[in-house]
Amino acid sequence: MNTDNLLRKHPEAMPVCPDPKDKVQAEVALRFGLIYWMNRVETFFGKTYPVPELDLSLRGKCAGQAYLQQWKLRFNLTLMAENYQDFMLNVVPHELAHLIAFREFGHRIKPHGREWQGVMEQALGVPAKTTHQYDVSTTAKQNYLYRCGCPERIHGLTIRRHNKISQGIKYLCRTCRQELTFKEERKLEKNP
């Protein structure tokens, strides 16, 4: 189901947010969107759940994370701002579904197993996609380029992994199993 169809099906999941880059506005929008998704899941299961703690400090490639034991959701504010509509209609219910599946079916379930898929599709009415397709070039910060034995393959590493290699740690390509060797540092263009 594409974003337009999801929006027609779940218009209340899209609170107005004039500037999703503003942390306060983004948090308010997330809370309103989360309340919509919680109402759907509470109606489906016939019970109430505590509102999860929200944390907007997630960075990198990951759009969201669910901390099951802490009943907490973390979201990537940058990816939310860049992909607001899809984020509210897919990422927010995706992470909430992890909490609900954990609460309803226990800790022995697979993260994206049939229980989670059931919460997504039956309770929330959203396709059970396991990954997003967002452009993460502005958030991933993989500025150190390495080569392996694979032809034409370049590995982008973070400064943390680059520094570990400088300290003697060896990383291997998962495909060719050869050690990664430094090629160059990617120079990111700054906006004027």
Side-chain angles (χ1 to χ4, degrees):
M1 187 178 300
N2 67 27
T3 304
D4 291 335
N5 289 341
L6 277 174
L7 185 56
R8 278 192 288 282
K9 187 175 179 182
H10 305 288
E12 297 86 16
M14 280 293 303
V16 174
C17 185
D19 183 9
K21 292 178 182 170
D22 179 88
K23 188 173 182 177
V24 173
Q25 290 183 40
E27 184 172 353
V28 170
L30 272 171
R31 289 190 184 283
F32 277 103
L34 187 58
I35 288 169
Y36 169 78
W37 294 115
M38 289 196 66
N39 285 337
R40 284 193 59 93
V41 83
E42 288 174 346
T43 300
F44 183 84
F45 285 105
K47 55 175 82 168
T48 59
Y49 301 96
V51 176
E53 177 186 344
L54 284 182
D55 179 339
L56 301 179
S57 67
L58 193 57
R59 301 282 184 257
K61 296 180 187 181
C62 192
Q65 293 177 337
Y67 292 82
L68 308 176
Q69 301 290 340
Q70 295 96 337
W71 200 254
K72 176 181 176 178
L73 298 175
R74 281 184 76 201
F75 293 108
N76 185 320
L77 183 61
T78 303
L79 290 179
M80 178 186 165
E82 292 173 355
N83 308 279
Y84 182 70
Q85 192 172 44
D86 188 76
F87 196 97
M88 297 299 285
L89 295 169
N90 285 294
V91 176
V92 175
H94 175 115
E95 299 307 332
L96 177 62
H98 283 300
L99 295 182
I100 301 301
F102 171 74
R103 179 68 57 100
E104 290 301 315
F105 305 106
H107 67 282
R108 293 199 168 151
I109 63 172
K110 293 181 180 177
H112 296 115
R114 61 183 169 85
E115 298 86 358
W116 173 83
Q117 291 173 19
V119 173
M120 283 292 288
E121 293 173 352
Q122 296 167 16
L124 296 171
V126 176
K129 296 190 306 185
T130 58
T131 58
H132 64 75
Q133 299 298 314
Y134 303 150
D135 175 8
V136 295
S137 59
T138 59
T139 61
K141 305 224 187 310
Q142 294 178 329
N143 299 334
Y144 298 90
L145 305 179
Y146 281 74
R147 295 198 82 99
C148 64
C150 299
E152 304 298 318
R153 182 150 190 200
I154 301 293
H155 299 267
L157 299 183
T158 62
I159 191 167
R160 172 184 256 172
R161 289 199 178 196
H162 174 72
N163 288 340
K164 285 187 174 197
I165 289 172
S166 299
Q167 297 166 358
I169 302 293
K170 296 186 185 315
Y171 288 96
L172 303 179
C173 171
R174 290 184 180 178
T175 305
C176 71
R177 306 301 297 161
Q178 287 190 13
E179 183 178 339
L180 301 184
T181 57
F182 182 70
K183 179 181 183 267
E184 66 184 341
E185 183 176 350
R186 181 183 307 164
K187 303 293 183 201
L188 296 177
E189 296 176 19
K190 296 195 179 196
N191 293 335

